[in-house]
Amino acid sequence: MSTTQSDRLRGLLEPLVAAKGLDLEDVEMSKAGKRRMLRIIVDSDEGVELDACAELSREVSEKLDESDVMGEEEYVLEVSSPGADRPLTEHRHYVRAIDRLVKFQLAEGGELIARILDVDDEGMDLEVPGVKGRKATARRIAFSDIAKARVEIEFNRKDKKEEEA
């Protein structure tokens, strides 16, 4: 997708997405056979429900039909949330990942798996799980020290609400 088309799409879509209280995370265009696939990724601090995606999809479809931004070729529209395994790239992504286990690729090399406890403008406070019976340790990491970060999926972790009950 050309930068100009991407910018036009974002300009068209951001007000619609913001009106729903959501963040426009990404706009992706790809080929799907003879058709094009327009994937719009949205998120919020509370997550995104399926009904919200469906409603937004209808509104986006109407808006795209009214404009010429997609041209005359057929396309398939998909509106979805980013999924649990998406990369953390924005400050708000880290805030939304508080209490989650994250795998960090460090800028200096190496990796670190730790739970995010708190996030501020410069970086975050982490809890590094202990190994072989050792206690967890606290660590501070600056955003500038992170090359990549991604939430680790935890299948057996109890929800905080369950722990408090």
Side-chain angles (χ1 to χ4, degrees):
M1 176 167 57
S2 71
T3 305
T4 306
Q5 185 182 26
S6 177
D7 291 343
R8 288 183 63 207
L9 276 168
R10 281 189 169 279
L12 188 70
L13 299 174
E14 281 179 336
L16 285 174
V17 173
K20 298 285 182 198
L22 303 172
D23 295 316
L24 180 61
E25 294 293 343
D26 201 7
V27 178
E28 304 169 352
M29 179 77 76
S30 61
K31 281 286 200 185
K34 294 180 180 181
R35 294 185 182 178
R36 297 174 295 163
M37 170 71 83
L38 175 61
R39 183 172 287 120
I40 298 166
I41 311 295
V42 295
D43 202 3
S44 79
D45 290 344
E46 295 79 34
V48 182
E49 293 185 5
L50 187 58
D51 289 343
C53 285
E55 186 179 328
L56 181 60
S57 179
R58 286 188 289 276
E59 291 180 21
V60 166
S61 181
E62 288 175 17
K63 195 69 154 174
L64 291 173
D65 289 347
E66 292 170 5
S67 78
D68 65 344
V69 72
M70 290 301 292
E72 295 298 317
E73 285 183 63
E74 288 185 28
Y75 65 93
V76 175
L77 174 64
E78 178 183 301
V79 177
S80 66
S81 63
D85 65 341
R86 65 107 184 268
L88 305 177
T89 57
E90 302 283 335
H91 184 271
R92 68 178 177 263
H93 298 163
Y94 291 98
V95 171
R96 291 174 184 158
I98 289 176
D99 293 326
R100 304 285 307 267
L101 198 62
V102 175
K103 183 176 187 177
F104 298 94
Q105 298 293 326
L106 303 176
E108 64 192 27
E111 66 183 36
L112 170 68
I113 297 178
R115 190 168 309 282
I116 298 176
L117 300 176
D118 192 32
V119 178
D120 59 34
D121 291 339
E122 287 81 40
M124 63 198 90
D125 296 322
L126 307 173
E127 178 184 72
V128 181
V131 268
K132 297 184 181 178
R134 294 186 180 160
K135 288 187 177 185
T137 57
R139 179 168 175 180
R140 173 91 182 152
I141 189 170
F143 289 116
S144 59
D145 294 336
I146 302 168
K148 292 181 185 178
R150 192 177 295 271
V151 170
E152 289 284 284
I153 306 299
E154 296 179 86
F155 293 105
N156 59 354
R157 181 165 188 249
K158 289 184 180 178
D159 190 351
K160 271 190 161 187
K161 292 175 187 170
E162 291 176 30
E163 291 174 4
E164 292 171 0

